[in-house]
């Protein structure tokens, strides 16, 4: 333990310029935080060595340069993000960009359910009946499925980006009882009239998983265009039902997460929406690392 901490602190001391932005591995050096340091495979939390309470094993390594002696590393929590919004508000599109920049593990409740359907499981068959009607799939199917994914080591280590879960009070409470809360809850806000057009024009690339829109983000070439698929619930009729379900449930979430909710206007260009999301995530990360620095 002591030697790995010494190594981490030494690596931080050696790296005096900030690496490219990523939130996977926030690293502090004498009060400065450099997100994305490759110095260790885990996020690092630094406490001042001048403060009391550190065990002898975690005290300053003698052989380190002076700058590195001021900090001692312990593991920090990675970023935890929930993203919500009406059908086709752009959750999946923004998640792709967030995942690329911040390295979080993307967990989409809708994707997990579609995987069950594709695998022909009993849960998948049952879930499809509800999805066809634009209704929420019952908790006994969804809750454990998401919880299990969330508790896997990659999500715990890299941080997570929960897309489309929770969607109801009972789903949120299932996480609360486990002490699972996000650092930030992003709510994408898009006028209803845009949503129907987005849904019916959406296409998916089964090879890369990329989301397209025939008008707003068309496929790059004929080869991709020819293999695009459409979701079974992406019809005008079904999206209206999905919208109803969304509005019936979303209010109940707001009170649970009101201290971390950020509402973002999602009716701009994809990059412009991402700029707002990015700003909020950076600020959330800064707060988190700031809290660690002053701990
Ligand atoms: P899910 O798959 O999660 O569907 P959804 O919530 O309806 O959301 P979508 O995936 O339709 O849209 P999105 O917001 O991700 O938008 P996207 O980025 O693709 O859930 C499906 C069903 O599963 C539910 O109805 C329910 O039955 C069940 N389910 C899921 N979670 C559940 C849960 N927790 N509990 C119970 N049941 C659950 O974008 C849409 C289109 O718009 C794309 O074509 C995209 O290219 C385009 N677009 C995106 N952003 C922009 C932009 N800024 N400008 C122009 N076009 C854009």
């Amino acid at each position: 333990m002591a030697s790995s901490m010494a190594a981490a602190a030494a690596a931080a001391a050696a790296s005096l310029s900030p690496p490219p932005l990523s939130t996977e591995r926030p690293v502090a050096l004498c009060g400065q935080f450099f997100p994305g340091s490759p110095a260790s495979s885990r996020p690092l939390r630094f406490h001042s060595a001048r403060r009391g309470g550190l065990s002898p094993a975690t005290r300053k390594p003698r052989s380190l340069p002076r700058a590195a002696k001021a900090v001692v590393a312990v593991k920090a929590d990675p970023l935890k993000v929930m993203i919500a919004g009406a059908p086709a508000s752009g959750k999946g599109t923004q998640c792709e960009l967030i995942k690329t920049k911040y390295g979080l593990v993307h967990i989409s409740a809708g994707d997990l359910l579609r995987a069950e359907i594709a695998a022909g499981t009993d849960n998948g068959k049952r879930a499809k009946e509800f999805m066809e009607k634009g209704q929420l799939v019952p908790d006994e199917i969804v809750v454990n499925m998401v919880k299990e994914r969330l508790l896997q080591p990659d999500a715990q280590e890299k941080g997570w980006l929960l897309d489309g879960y929770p969607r109801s009070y009972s789903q949120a409470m299932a996480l609360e009882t486990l002490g699972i809360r996000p650092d930030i809850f992003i709510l994408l806000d898009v006028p209803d009239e845009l949503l129907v057009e987005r849904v019916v024009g959406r296409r998916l690339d089964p090879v890369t998983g990329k989301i397209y829109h025939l008008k707003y983000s068309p496929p790059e070439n004929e080869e991709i265009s020819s293999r695009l698929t459409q979701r079974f619930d992406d019809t005008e009729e079904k999206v209206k039902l999905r919208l109803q379900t969304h509005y019936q449930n979303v209010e109940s979430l707001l009170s649970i997460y009101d201290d971390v909710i950020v509402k973002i206007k999602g009716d701009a260009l994809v990059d412009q929406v991402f700029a707002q999301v990015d700003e909020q995530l950076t600020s959330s990360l800064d707060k988190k690392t700031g809290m660690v620095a002053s701990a």
Side-chain angles (χ1 to χ4, degrees), residues 85-94 108-111 113-114 127 130-132 134-139 142 146 163-168 171 188 198-199 201-204 211-214 216-217 231 233-234 242 266-271 273:
S89 54
K91 301 183 290 296
T93 301
Q94 293 301 318
S108 154
D111 287 349
L113 289 167
R114 281 183 287 277
F130 291 87
M131 292 165 80
E132 294 267 18
Q135 295 172 354
L136 292 188
V137 172
D139 282 2
V142 179
V146 172
D163 165 4
Y165 187 102
R167 289 194 198 219
S168 64
Q171 291 183 4
L188 293 177
R198 284 195 189 179
V199 160
R202 170 171 42 199
R203 296 293 182 276
L204 303 165
I211 305 167
Y212 290 95
H213 191 280
L214 295 179
Y216 300 117
S217 70
R231 266 170 47 178
D233 55 349
D234 271 356
R242 282 156 63 194
D267 55 353
L269 295 173
V270 170
D271 287 350
V273 177

Side-chain angles (χ1 to χ4, degrees), residues 204-260:
L204 303 165
D205 183 344
V207 175
T208 61
K210 191 171 169 189
I211 305 167
Y212 290 95
H213 191 280
L214 295 179
K215 180 171 166 191
Y216 300 117
S217 70
E220 295 86 348
N221 56 50
E222 191 46 44
E223 189 192 348
I224 297 174
S225 175
S226 65
R227 67 184 186 222
L228 295 182
T229 59
Q230 194 170 14
R231 266 170 47 178
F232 67 85
D233 55 349
D234 271 356
T235 63
E236 190 168 343
E237 180 203 3
K238 280 177 187 151
V239 74
K240 287 182 178 155
L241 300 171
R242 282 156 63 194
L243 254 178
Q244 249 175 32
T245 305
H246 168 73
Y247 287 122
Q248 278 161 7
N249 290 287
V250 69
E251 285 296 320
S252 66
L253 297 177
L254 305 186
S255 58
I256 300 177
Y257 298 115
D258 63 346
D259 55 331
V260 286

Side-chain angles (χ1 to χ4, degrees), residues 117-146:
I117 294 172
T121 63
D122 287 346
N123 276 347
K125 284 178 193 146
R126 221 172 133 227
K128 193 170 180 192
E129 289 169 25
F130 291 87
M131 292 165 80
E132 294 267 18
K133 291 185 260 179
Q135 295 172 354
L136 292 188
V137 172
D139 282 2
E140 66 263 27
I141 296 176
V142 179
V143 171
N144 276 338
M145 195 182 69
V146 172

